[in-house]
Amino acid sequence: MIATVVLTLRIAMAIALFTFLGWALLTLWQELRQQANNLASLKTPIINLEVVIGQDKTVPNRFSENEIVIGRDKNCNLPVTDETVSAHHAHIIFHHGQWWLEDLNSTNGTFLNREKIIIPTVLITGDEFKCGDTLFRVRIGLDNQPSPMQQIESGGPT
């Protein structure tokens, strides 16, 4: 008789334990899905690329898409009329919450802050990069717009 009661209590405890574990895993999974949706909904921050012409003239270019191709080809997002720039010279892409600059195996290379880049490199506001003889200045987002990483740290978009 006592053995039957103990066995029944053990089975009830096992069922309660597995029910609790299932509920905890379901709650964690739902929270992760919500966080993934929050991250996916973050907008790509605007990137401003100023083309420097001469010493005091710049041509502003503002992009809100998450991929930009720079080159001589007229179909590039930022076409350049510099003969030292390759048809598809450099690629700027937004992923993992940051803007990245990548050289597309150009003939004359891409230089970020006077250093040749070999692998994709993170861009920040104030960077200057050179494709051929053309110099670009980078400004990311607006002065009053928080970056995606700041939005994540503060608990979501503002």
Side-chain angles (χ1 to χ4, degrees):
M1 177 75 176
I2 292 182
T4 306
V5 171
V6 170
L7 180 61
T8 305
L9 287 175
R10 283 184 172 178
I11 291 172
M13 289 294 290
I15 290 171
L17 177 64
F18 284 113
T19 302
F20 173 76
L21 287 175
W23 172 80
L25 289 174
L26 179 65
T27 303
L28 286 172
W29 180 74
Q30 289 173 340
E31 183 67 26
L32 284 173
R33 274 188 64 197
Q34 181 63 39
Q35 288 294 329
N37 289 338
N38 288 345
L39 288 174
S41 70
L42 292 177
K43 288 185 178 178
T44 301
I46 292 170
I47 185 166
N48 296 290
L49 300 175
E50 293 180 344
V51 181
V52 179
I53 301 171
Q55 290 192 6
D56 59 349
K57 186 178 179 190
T58 61
V59 177
N61 296 280
R62 185 179 173 115
F63 297 95
S64 58
E65 55 266 4
N66 63 354
E67 285 191 58
I68 304 158
V69 177
I70 300 170
R72 262 192 357 259
D73 189 326
K74 65 180 180 175
N75 294 321
C76 289
N77 302 96
L78 184 52
V80 180
T81 58
D82 177 355
E83 289 301 317
T84 60
V85 173
S86 298
H88 294 96
H89 195 101
H91 182 234
I92 299 174
I93 186 167
F94 183 78
H95 65 88
H96 294 98
Q98 296 177 314
W99 285 101
W100 296 76
L101 173 65
E102 176 182 16
D103 183 68
L104 297 176
N105 297 320
S106 62
T107 304
N108 295 318
T110 302
F111 294 81
L112 176 61
N113 299 324
R114 297 188 181 131
E115 292 188 31
K116 187 173 185 174
I117 63 168
I118 298 167
I119 60 172
T121 306
V122 174
L123 287 174
I124 60 171
T125 295
D127 277 344
E128 293 183 342
F129 67 93
K130 203 169 187 181
C131 295
D133 291 331
T134 305
L135 181 67
F136 299 88
R137 288 193 187 122
V138 178
R139 196 180 79 218
I140 298 172
L142 303 173
D143 294 337
N144 61 356
Q145 177 187 12
S147 73
M149 292 311 292
Q150 291 169 332
Q151 290 178 5
I152 292 168
E153 291 166 359
S154 68
T158 56

